[in-house]
Amino acid sequence: MAAIHITDIEAAINYWRSRTPSPDGIVLAPELRALGEAYALMVFRHADAVDEDALPPEALAAWLGWYDATPDTPCIAICSTSQGDDLCKGCGRTFDEVQFWPAMTPAEKRGVWRRITLEHTAWRFNRYAERAAEGPSDKPVVPHTPVQGAGPR
């Protein structure tokens, strides 16, 4: 089994915090409690990663809920491995990682994402950042403000 890095646990906690905020500042959603316990054990043990099969089922389910909300592949449709490169210039994955991506587990995929993000040399991070789904955007973010009295029609 692959390991889940503590930064992914933190990202999942933040995802669930924004998705299911505490109504009173005290009570946590079940996903947050499960991930929080796993995170606390990692901090206590000074561990920066945990095997996905070692996570309690509730924490793994919450982590997978976050994972499903993230981009699946780092591909930006500029694949230099098809031209013979061992490492894709577009996404930063190795030939084997590109080839076996569909068969990888979510934790294995996140491990690859972590490596290419830390290396930060692939074109998806610089020259072609606009092609990356999570890349910078020129459009300003306009928060949605519900109109009072408006309901489903």
Side-chain angles (χ1 to χ4, degrees), residues 64-87:
L64 288 170
W66 163 78
Y67 170 81
D68 289 340
T70 64
D72 178 60
T73 178
C75 181
I76 60 168
I78 300 175
C79 191
S80 68
T81 59
S82 63
Q83 305 300 316
D85 286 348
D86 290 332
L87 190 67

Side-chain angles (χ1 to χ4, degrees), residues 10 13 16 24 49 51 57-58 78 84 86 88 91-92 95 108 121 130 142 151:
E10 291 169 346
I13 288 170
W16 286 108
D24 58 5
D51 285 336
E58 299 83 11
I78 300 175
D86 290 332
C88 180
C91 69
F95 177 79
E108 290 170 333
T121 57
E130 75 280 356
V142 179

Side-chain angles (χ1 to χ4, degrees), residues 143-150:
H144 172 70
T145 306
V147 177
Q148 281 191 328

